[in-house]
Amino acid sequence: MDHIQHRDYYYKSDSRCPRCCLDALSGRPFPADEFAMARGIEGLIGEYDSLVEQCLLRLMARSWITDGRRYPWAPDLVVWMAGLREPDRFAGALPVPAAIAAGVAEAMTELKQDEHADAVMNSLAPHTDRALAELWRDLTLLSLERYPVEAAGLRSRVEKKASHRPTLWSKSLPWLFALARHLNDLDVTLTLALAEQRPSVRRAIRASTKSEVREVQRRAEGVQALADGSIPVEQKLLDALGSSLDARRHVFPRPLGAPSSTWLAATDLEDLTRGAVAGAVKDFMGFVAQSGAQEEEVLTARLLEKLRQRFAAGPGAGRWADPGSPEVALATRQETKKAEKSTGADIGIVLEIAAPGRLTTRIGDLVQVKKANALIPSASQSDAWKINRLQLDTLLERSPTATYWLIPRSGDVYVVPAKLLAAIGAANSGHASLFTVGHSDVRHAAVRLEHYLTDLTAGMWLGSTSPATLAAAAGEDLANRPEFFLNIKVTLPRFLDDVPGGPLPWTLA
């Protein structure tokens, strides 16, 4: 009998087919009677306990509480548990998922009455571990809380329960990893803190790295990599918390104020630059999510292409409605052959500014692009970057304001002064040819790419007019050519009161 026939037979005869159980819980288009499915799965208890628990873990990763029009909808885990015929037998065979479902159902009843949650509370909850159910009640409420003060109280309750009874946390760990995207990294920070002192938590992390549920395995491997590091636990927690907080900030890392124009009071130029670059980085993040394992040259080429596209699609293709407004044009190119990298530069930037009657200048700067270890399949799954000391030193010889564009696993772009990395390497690595910097090392100095390019085009804080820097940035030094070039032109029309008889015609740079 083939699988389709076997599936139909499974529902008609109450057959115990573990493969059908797995398909049903994976969300395939099966009959819409959840209670019939739950009864079929229940029949596997005793013979296929581990398979059933694996299926329920997939449910947790796939479905969580969602907001309905009148009340929250229960997650699939609770819906399926509501259909059990022998809840006491189920809770005895699979105590952890039973207690978790009871805790989630209890939280649902606090939020709003739900028929599935009521069924679980009445039939299953009396047979479960009360302490574990209470932990998951608080975790569920925390995952849904929108107000920071209330969330702080719930988080404190969770931390106290886990600290007093760490076995509750170790039993819950695969389920926490399945639910990770709803917990704001609590599964990482609290697990790392407990793992430092509790062998049971360390064993649970290692066991989760072998899970057949993809979401659980990947999350566990990341936590394992953090736990295995030689740095103190405080540093691990700072990295994890810093990454989580910074990812939710609109401005990174929260400067005192927006950059101001020092050579030109033109907010429209700043808006154009900042908006175009922010849009390009957002596009680039999508590419990294799919293809982040590719070589840095491929990532650099795609990032520059996104920048070019966004500037080309700007208001009026670079021209604002007001004829007195400045305009900016951006162009990129790549060497046909791999360039000599003795300067340490991946990108040479040349900025040309033309404001008739006011100022004209040409500024150059150099950039090195590095992707995080988390984007390298063979490396540790962390936002840390390996820096080549010789490459760094030669970069600074050409430009003291040279920068590194660091790409974390999110695909965002953090811009860091090269001289800062040199200082970190000198303090921590002596004369080693390679050294590593982590997220916490750079988070206070880094700015996002839209802030950097706005400062470069409107601030003149960055770059150099020295012949050596300009020659390297423009590719005119044949022995030291970057592989990529970014050319930015900012042009202002002549002001009306500068021209007798009216304005002069002007065109896009």
Side-chain angles (χ1 to χ4, degrees):
M1 166 184 318
D2 63 26
H3 183 52
I4 299 301
Q5 292 173 326
H6 200 175
R7 179 197 67 185
D8 296 335
Y9 177 75
Y10 169 64
Y11 284 107
K12 292 175 182 178
S13 66
D14 197 25
S15 168
R16 298 184 181 185
C17 171
R19 184 177 174 191
C20 291
C21 163
L22 182 62
D23 283 347
L25 277 169
S26 297
R28 304 290 176 83
F30 278 71
D33 186 349
E34 292 91 349
F35 294 102
M37 292 184 188
R39 289 194 294 271
I41 294 165
E42 189 176 2
L44 300 172
I45 294 299
E47 190 175 358
Y48 297 105
D49 289 352
S50 62
L51 176 62
V52 173
E53 187 159 1
Q54 178 193 139
C55 293
L56 294 173
L57 265 173
R58 282 194 172 91
L59 267 189
M60 178 71 87
R62 187 194 71 185
S63 161
W64 190 235
I65 300 169
T66 55
D67 289 334
R69 292 184 178 178
R70 295 185 179 179
Y71 56 87
W73 292 344
D76 288 349
L77 182 71
V78 171
V79 173
W80 289 70
M81 294 287 189
L84 293 172
R85 290 180 299 185
E86 298 180 90
D88 55 339
R89 179 170 172 266
F90 187 94
L94 293 171
V96 173
I100 290 172
V104 176
E106 185 174 354
M108 291 289 299
T109 60
E110 287 192 24
L111 296 170
K112 191 71 176 179
Q113 292 297 315
D114 178 89
E115 59 177 335
H116 298 107
D118 289 342
V120 170
M121 288 299 296
N122 292 331
S123 63
L124 181 64
H127 306 289
T128 61
D129 180 339
R130 181 59 186 161
L132 185 56
E134 287 179 349
L135 173 66
W136 274 89
R137 176 202 61 200
D138 294 341
L139 280 165
T140 303
L141 294 173
L142 176 60
S143 74
L144 301 171
E145 184 55 64
R146 298 178 180 178
Y147 297 101
V149 174
E150 288 82 349
L154 287 166
R155 188 181 182 107
S156 177
R157 280 161 55 174
V158 168
E159 290 172 350
K160 288 178 180 178
K161 286 182 171 67
S163 299
H164 291 159
R165 293 189 58 182
T167 55
L168 297 178
W169 196 259
S170 58
K171 289 178 182 178
S172 301
L173 209 52
W175 303 86
L176 290 163
F177 291 155
L179 192 63
R181 66 182 183 275
H182 301 284
L183 294 177
N184 288 335
D185 287 333
L186 177 63
D187 62 307
V188 177
T189 55
L190 190 49
T191 299
L192 287 175
L194 291 172
E196 194 74 11
Q197 302 294 332
R198 303 290 183 172
S200 63
V201 178
R202 295 196 292 272
R203 289 193 296 270
I205 297 172
R206 288 194 295 271
S208 295
T209 62
K210 301 175 183 178
S211 174
E212 295 186 24
V213 180
R214 181 180 58 184
E215 294 85 354
V216 174
Q217 181 190 40
R218 288 182 176 176
R219 190 72 169 183
E221 287 174 345
V223 174
Q224 182 74 70
L226 291 172
D228 288 344
S230 59
I231 59 177
V233 66
E234 294 85 0
Q235 185 71 35
K236 298 174 189 175
L237 295 175
L238 180 59
D239 280 339
L241 284 171
S243 296
S244 176
L245 290 172
D246 290 340
R248 294 190 293 276
R249 285 178 173 164
H250 177 65
V251 179
F252 175 84
R254 199 181 296 276
L256 294 177
S260 61
S261 300
T262 58
W263 66 275
L264 173 67
T267 55
D268 46 6
L269 173 62
E270 293 190 32
D271 290 344
L272 170 62
T273 304
R274 200 181 304 278
V277 178
V281 172
K282 184 177 180 180
D283 296 341
F284 179 67
M285 290 171 71
F287 176 76
V288 173
Q290 299 295 324
S291 307
Q294 295 200 51
E295 295 294 327
E296 285 167 349
E297 287 79 7
V298 176
L299 298 180
T300 303
R302 182 57 62 98
L303 174 59
L304 294 180
E305 176 61 17
K306 294 296 183 184
L307 287 170
R308 187 197 65 76
Q309 291 172 356
R310 282 286 179 163
F311 274 88
R319 183 194 301 272
W320 292 89
D322 181 357
S325 295
E327 54 195 47
V328 57
L330 183 147
T332 67
R333 63 186 175 91
Q334 182 178 2
E335 288 292 276
T336 55
K337 295 182 179 180
K338 196 173 181 75
E340 175 63 38
K341 303 300 281 297
S342 59
T343 61
D346 283 327
I347 305 172
I349 301 178
V350 175
L351 168 67
E352 297 180 45
I353 298 170
R358 300 181 63 189
L359 56 87
T360 299
T361 189
R362 189 166 177 257
I363 298 171
D365 214 348
L366 301 172
V367 175
Q368 178 67 38
V369 180
K370 290 290 181 185
K371 70 176 185 178
N373 291 341
L375 297 173
I376 303 174
S378 60
S380 63
Q381 298 298 302
S382 63
D383 274 343
W385 297 267
K386 289 189 178 297
I387 307 299
N388 182 305
R389 185 180 298 278
L390 177 60
Q391 194 175 61
L392 172 61
D393 290 343
T394 53
L395 189 71
L396 285 170
E397 287 177 4
R398 294 301 190 282
S399 173
T401 65
T403 57
Y404 274 62
W405 293 4
L406 305 180
I407 304 172
R409 78 182 78 194
S410 66
D412 205 344
V413 183
Y414 302 158
V415 181
V416 179
K419 62 173 82 67
L420 171 68
L421 301 184
I424 294 172
N428 299 329
S429 305
H431 298 287
S433 60
L434 289 173
F435 62 93
T436 301
V437 294
H439 179 87
S440 62
D441 293 319
V442 302
R443 64 184 294 264
H444 294 292
V447 296
R448 287 200 166 99
L449 189 59
E450 60 263 31
H451 305 314
Y452 165 77
L453 286 176
T454 300
D455 276 353
L456 179 67
T457 56
M460 290 197 190
W461 291 104
L462 305 169
S464 174
T465 58
S466 76
T469 302
L470 279 168
E476 296 165 358
D477 183 347
L478 298 180
N480 301 301
R481 291 173 62 87
E483 185 174 355
F484 298 90
F485 296 92
L486 177 62
N487 292 89
I488 305 171
K489 293 183 179 181
V490 178
T491 305
L492 278 76
R494 186 180 295 275
F495 291 103
L496 301 184
D497 55 4
D498 289 338
V499 183
L504 294 177
W506 56 280
T507 59
L508 187 70

